[in-house]
Amino acid sequence: MKYEVVYNISQLGFGGYSCHFEHDGVKYFADLRGTYDNGNECMIFVEGEWNGLYCRDCIPVTKAQLISCIEEFVAELEAK
């Protein structure tokens, strides 16, 4: 699957990547960035909700890593 990943610069100065994607008719938002207190963090949410469905930390902040997190998340969904 192809994901349209965009580079973000936050107000705190942390660079990161995000992506809106859809799986089985549900729209999701994935975000990977640095944080002050938790190191680097990838989180995936249902669009419009802030209850994290997926979280992974201490990983590199790269476009490829965000895609890897999304693919891992989708694989977990498909395994259910």
Side-chain angles (χ1 to χ4, degrees), residues 55-71:
C55 183
R56 191 161 170 220
D57 59 8
C58 300
I59 56 177
V61 178
T62 65
K63 181 178 179 178
Q65 183 62 60
L66 179 60
I67 292 169
S68 176
C69 289
I70 294 169
E71 289 173 344

Side-chain angles (χ1 to χ4, degrees), residues 2-74:
K2 184 178 177 182
Y3 299 102
E4 189 174 328
V5 175
V6 297
Y7 180 76
N8 297 322
I9 186 76
S10 73
Q11 295 171 339
L12 301 174
F14 295 118
Y17 295 90
S18 65
C19 179
H20 296 268
F21 67 98
E22 187 172 329
H23 180 74
D24 282 343
V26 180
K27 294 181 180 182
Y28 297 96
F29 175 71
D31 184 67
L32 172 59
R33 69 180 64 216
T35 68
Y36 277 123
D37 54 354
N38 293 327
N40 301 335
E41 180 177 73
C42 178
M43 296 195 72
I44 299 178
F45 309 90
V46 172
E47 278 200 19
E49 299 178 17
W50 290 108
N51 298 327
L53 299 174
Y54 173 96
C55 183
R56 191 161 170 220
D57 59 8
C58 300
I59 56 177
V61 178
T62 65
K63 181 178 179 178
Q65 183 62 60
L66 179 60
I67 292 169
S68 176
C69 289
I70 294 169
E71 289 173 344
E72 181 179 341
F73 171 74
V74 169

